[in-house]
Amino acid sequence: ACCALRFHFLSSVCCAWNTVTSRVVSSSRSLYLATISCSRWFSCCRSMFRVFPFFPSFKFLQRPSIETKNMASSQLDDILRLHSEDRTMQAYDLLQQLEEWLQRAERASAHHFDEEAAAAAGAAPQEPPEPERVEADLRDAQARRELRTRLAEDPAVLSLRSTAERVINLRQELGSDEGWTLQKDVDGVRTLYKTEPGSDFICLRLEGVVQAPLFDILALLYEADLHKLWMPSQHRESRLLSNPRPTQACLYLGVSAPWPFDDRDVVLKIEGVDCMAPAMQPRQVVMLMQSVDEYADVDIPPPNKTRAHFQHGGLLLTPRPAEQGGGIFVQCTASVDPKLPVVPACLINWVAKMLAYHFIVQLRRETARMGTEHGRVYRERINEKDFYQWLRQRAVEANFPLETNTEPASDSKKQ
């Protein structure tokens, strides 16, 4: 009887143990599959909301779908529209966010298939996926490829990226003295230079404060046909070849050279970039310059004897607050090959370093005359031309200071 009782007890314990273990295994498998689903959902949710928190429907949080890709393509259209409205840096910031989102979407999709494969490896054989599911996955992949191709090959995207990166590099380059050698500091005008990789000619940098309104400085530079009123006597001709947008121009410059050298000329592509938003510190107006051999819908004039090459250059105009003395902090840089093979490059570099600071001196002299009869023609154009009205409106939107000794009260409080 005791043996029978013991056998019955042990049998009951074994049955109970088998039941518990089978249920635990089944629950663990369900918990594992549920964890994979939640992880996949959370990954997609995080990748979507970190970049585009404004998607209107939670259906986009499941997994990147074809509808999401269409919305991303529409977002790219909006980015290019901003660029066409001369809001280049704002458009570039959104472009970077879109590219980051696309990378996350691609990683999330790859992670999704990896998890499904891992789950299938430990599960019983299942039915093949539905044809609709396979078709949706293929459409998703195709949409991502189309968006990636457009980001890599669309001329408008390439133009936006090139301009914005040049602005970023220029602001970084002129924001520090690292790598530059100080040539001289006279009357508050600093002349610096550095060697250029692969070139015999140096890159020059000038900077100094001009006590004048921003529009006065811009008018001197923007009104090409009036350059003859203030540029050195060697200046022969300035002509605006094209001005398709307020911030874009193609400019022809001719310079007289002393005997026995031929006259020089250059054709410049000029781009203005709005860095006036409070997030763009320091807040500036940026101009990019470089030589071009062709320009859209423009017949480039043939070289007059010899055409120089303006390798790259730029100009930064930064208003200073009243507590720093006001005025506009002018910085410019240029690397030019004058095409004088018979003159040693070291001699050309030396002359450039000695005379370059006269550009800032001349700006100071001419802006001081803006209030006289000499500046009447500039004042008329400032009041009449659409370019200045556009710039004034943009400055008001950004709360950007245009005067020499005033800073917006709201901006100073933020700082």
Side-chain angles (χ1 to χ4, degrees):
C2 292
C3 288
L5 182 62
R6 289 178 180 179
F7 178 78
H8 178 71
F9 174 76
L10 290 175
S11 298
S12 300
V13 170
C14 289
C15 290
W17 175 253
N18 289 336
T19 301
V20 170
T21 53
S22 63
R23 290 183 178 179
V24 168
V25 170
S26 177
S27 299
S28 299
R29 176 173 178 75
S30 300
L31 180 61
Y32 170 72
L33 295 177
T35 302
I36 289 179
S37 300
C38 292
S39 174
R40 182 166 63 247
W41 183 89
F42 178 74
S43 177
C44 294
C45 175
R46 180 180 58 183
S47 64
M48 294 292 294
F49 260 93
R50 287 191 63 179
V51 180
F52 293 114
F54 50 78
F55 280 117
S57 174
F58 284 99
K59 64 184 177 181
F60 295 118
L61 302 181
Q62 299 171 4
R63 187 166 63 90
S65 66
I66 189 66
E67 296 177 71
T68 306
K69 305 303 180 303
N70 289 337
M71 185 169 289
S73 181
S74 176
Q75 179 73 7
L76 180 56
D77 293 334
D78 293 338
I79 289 172
L80 297 181
R81 178 181 53 79
L82 284 174
H83 180 46
S84 67
E85 295 174 354
D86 300 307
R87 301 178 185 270
T88 300
M89 302 311 294
Q90 181 182 353
Y92 182 67
D93 183 57
L94 293 176
L95 179 65
Q96 288 185 307
Q97 294 182 35
L98 178 60
E99 291 176 330
E100 181 181 355
W101 172 84
L102 180 59
Q103 292 176 357
R104 290 178 177 174
E106 291 171 340
R107 289 198 299 267
S109 179
H111 185 57
H112 164 76
F113 289 115
D114 290 344
E115 287 178 337
E116 283 193 341
Q126 299 179 355
E127 295 294 329
E130 296 292 334
E132 294 80 2
R133 170 72 176 279
V134 175
E135 182 180 357
D137 290 339
L138 293 176
R139 287 160 53 205
D140 282 350
Q142 177 65 22
R144 287 195 301 270
R145 284 195 296 269
E146 291 176 356
L147 182 59
R148 176 66 67 186
T149 300
R150 191 177 174 193
L151 288 172
E153 299 178 1
D154 191 320
V157 176
L158 298 178
S159 173
L160 165 60
R161 184 179 287 113
S162 173
T163 300
E165 289 176 353
R166 288 174 60 200
V167 170
I168 294 172
N169 291 337
L170 179 64
R171 283 161 57 91
Q172 291 177 346
E173 193 174 59
L174 298 185
S176 170
D177 287 349
E178 184 178 357
W180 294 91
T181 301
L182 178 64
Q183 174 65 26
K184 61 180 178 179
D185 187 344
V186 179
D187 297 329
V189 179
R190 296 205 314 158
T191 303
L192 303 95
Y193 69 93
K194 66 177 181 179
T195 57
E196 289 276 86
S199 175
D200 294 330
F201 300 99
I202 59 174
C203 179
L204 279 172
R205 169 181 170 183
L206 301 174
E207 54 187 34
V209 176
V210 178
Q211 292 292 344
L214 178 64
F215 277 5
D216 288 0
I217 300 175
L218 286 174
L220 289 173
L221 302 173
Y222 186 78
E223 303 300 333
D225 60 317
L226 301 180
H227 286 172
K228 58 187 178 183
L229 300 180
W230 66 276
M231 283 192 173
S233 58
Q234 287 79 15
H235 170 265
R236 189 185 75 250
E237 180 184 6
S238 289
R239 189 165 76 249
L240 196 62
L241 301 178
S242 177
N243 193 192
R245 289 181 6 205
T247 61
Q248 294 186 358
C250 183
L251 181 67
Y252 174 84
L253 290 175
V255 179
S256 299
W259 184 90
F261 304 110
D262 293 333
D263 292 346
R264 297 300 191 268
D265 64 2
V266 64
V267 178
L268 296 177
K269 174 186 177 183
I270 301 176
E271 295 178 270
V273 181
D274 169 10
C275 292
M276 298 185 289
M280 301 292 294
Q281 295 293 338
R283 305 168 68 187
Q284 300 167 323
V285 172
V286 181
M287 293 176 60
L288 302 174
M289 295 170 283
Q290 67 178 20
S291 283
V292 292
D293 296 324
E294 57 183 19
Y295 198 83
D297 301 324
V298 174
D299 292 330
I300 302 294
N304 179 25
K305 304 284 181 74
T306 303
R307 177 151 292 170
H309 182 64
F310 198 98
Q311 300 179 46
H312 63 82
L315 181 76
L316 303 183
L317 302 177
T318 311
R320 299 199 312 167
E323 55 267 23
Q324 295 182 9
I328 305 296
F329 184 48
V330 179
Q331 295 174 284
C332 59
T333 179
S335 177
V336 182
D337 180 359
K339 301 298 182 181
L340 287 170
V342 297
V343 180
C346 60
L347 179 59
I348 296 175
N349 292 336
W350 180 83
V351 173
K353 289 186 288 187
M354 293 296 104
L355 301 180
Y357 85 102
H358 284 289
F359 173 72
I360 301 289
V361 173
Q362 196 70 11
L363 278 180
R364 289 174 173 175
R365 181 180 296 116
E366 292 302 315
T367 53
R369 300 169 61 190
M370 281 294 196
T372 66
E373 183 64 20
H374 174 77
R376 180 176 58 83
V377 63
Y378 291 103
R379 295 196 302 273
E380 291 176 353
R381 297 193 182 188
I382 289 174
N383 294 328
E384 295 173 358
K385 282 197 170 184
D386 293 338
F387 166 72
Y388 302 102
Q389 304 306 321
W390 170 86
L391 184 60
R392 184 176 285 109
Q393 180 181 358
R394 186 64 59 85
V396 170
E397 292 175 4
N399 200 25
F400 184 76
L402 295 176
E403 301 300 324
T404 59
N405 57 355
T406 59
E407 184 82 8
S410 59
D411 209 41
S412 60
K413 289 179 182 179
K414 291 178 185 178
Q415 293 178 356

